[in-house]
Amino acid sequence: GESVGLHLPTLSVQEGDNSIINCAYSNSASDYFIWYKQESGKGPQFIIDIRSNMDKRQGQRVTVLLNKTVKHLSLQIAATQPGDSAVYFCAEIATGTASKLTFGTGTRLQVTL
Amino acid sequence: GAGVSQSPSNKVTEKGKDVELRCDPISGHTALYWYRQSLGQGLEFLIYFQGNSAPDKSGLPSDRFSAERTGGSVSTLTIQRTQQEDSAVYLCASSRRGGNTGELFFGEGSRLTVL
């Protein structure tokens, strides 16, 4: 079936460096993509989203890039901080349909001092 | 409250018992979702309520699982005759509207352990 997955299960980054978390999706009908952050013992928290009519969107210290040609999504975190340590999920949905938000497996980001 | 509230936060039960998990969404949110998260895994969709529409139950893993949403607000997820493989964190989320937004607000989850 359709799926959303991640290339790297764990990413270790030194404090201050930039982090890049990747995600591949397979549903060509998906037109809306979201990144969530989940800290230990908490529910996922919305970070940033992007629609398929865009290829880049920036937030505070975060940038999401979308490459529809290869069905690839990435989350870039600038100047990674210890508080960024968490599991990051990408999610996708085909808006305007009866589909629901589908989450990938997740990547654990570990920030080392 | 200000956020999505779930109870109980932790539940330990014996195999074969029934459990009920409760979700109190953010006031005014018309969409409500239940997801299941096993240890170290992603979020598995279970069921989705949107307003007065028939719920999308396509993610429920078996007929032992059911959910209802009363008065368009509080939702209860019921698992009958629990099995050890039901052990997971059950997450509830709500949003202002349904399929056109990905901004779901999650509760902290109910951790279920089936012995």
Side-chain angles (χ1 to χ4, degrees), chain A residues 32 34 36 38 41-44 46 51 89 93 95-96 98 100-101 103-105, chain B residues 33 35 37 41-43 45 48 56 58 91 99-104 106-108:
Chain A
Y32 182 33
I34 310 96
Y36 278 83
Q38 186 177 27
K42 297 186 178 180
F46 174 94
R51 296 195 180 271
F89 295 95
I93 190 168
T95 59
K100 55 274 181 184
L101 202 59
F103 284 80
T105 306
Chain B
Y33 301 76
Y35 287 86
Q37 186 174 32
Q41 299 298 311
L43 279 71
F45 168 78
Y48 163 49
D56 178 350
S58 61
L91 289 160
N100 289 313
T101 178
E103 188 166 8
L104 274 58
F106 281 85
E108 297 200 340

Side-chain angles (χ1 to χ4, degrees), chain A residues 41-58:
Chain A
K42 297 186 178 180
Q45 183 179 19
F46 174 94
I47 301 173
I48 191 168
D49 59 1
I50 188 168
R51 296 195 180 271
S52 60
N53 60 351
M54 303 173 68
D55 53 21
K56 180 179 180 179
R57 190 167 188 216
Q58 289 184 297

Side-chain angles (χ1 to χ4, degrees), chain A residues 8-94:
Chain A
L8 300 173
T10 304
L11 178 65
S12 185
V13 175
Q14 199 161 20
E15 182 181 5
D17 288 350
N18 297 334
S19 302
I20 300 176
I21 302 171
N22 296 303
C23 176
Y25 65 95
S26 58
N27 186 356
S28 56
S30 293
D31 59 357
Y32 182 33
F33 305 88
I34 310 96
W35 281 99
Y36 278 83
K37 172 186 180 183
Q38 186 177 27
E39 296 176 280
S40 181
K42 297 186 178 180
Q45 183 179 19
F46 174 94
I47 301 173
I48 191 168
D49 59 1
I50 188 168
R51 296 195 180 271
S52 60
N53 60 351
M54 303 173 68
D55 53 21
K56 180 179 180 179
R57 190 167 188 216
Q58 289 184 297
Q60 187 176 14
R61 282 201 308 117
V62 295
T63 300
V64 56
L65 299 177
L66 175 63
N67 185 330
K68 295 181 287 295
T69 302
V70 295
K71 298 190 182 69
H72 185 268
L73 191 68
S74 69
L75 177 71
Q76 300 179 359
I77 305 173
T80 311
Q81 303 170 0
D84 296 327
S85 293
V87 177
Y88 290 81
F89 295 95
C90 64
E92 56 151 343
I93 190 168

Side-chain angles (χ1 to χ4, degrees), chain B residues 35-89:
Chain B
Y35 287 86
R36 178 168 71 175
Q37 186 174 32
S38 300
L39 186 64
Q41 299 298 311
L43 279 71
E44 176 189 4
F45 168 78
L46 297 177
I47 189 169
Y48 163 49
F49 296 90
Q50 172 54 48
N52 295 321
S53 302
D56 178 350
K57 303 179 182 181
S58 61
L60 296 178
S62 77
D63 59 8
R64 296 187 295 105
F65 287 72
S66 63
E68 62 177 22
R69 188 178 185 191
T70 53
S73 181
V74 172
S75 177
T76 302
L77 177 68
T78 301
I79 309 172
Q80 296 178 308
R81 304 181 301 283
T82 52
Q83 304 294 313
Q84 288 184 334
E85 60 263 29
D86 299 336
S87 296
V89 176

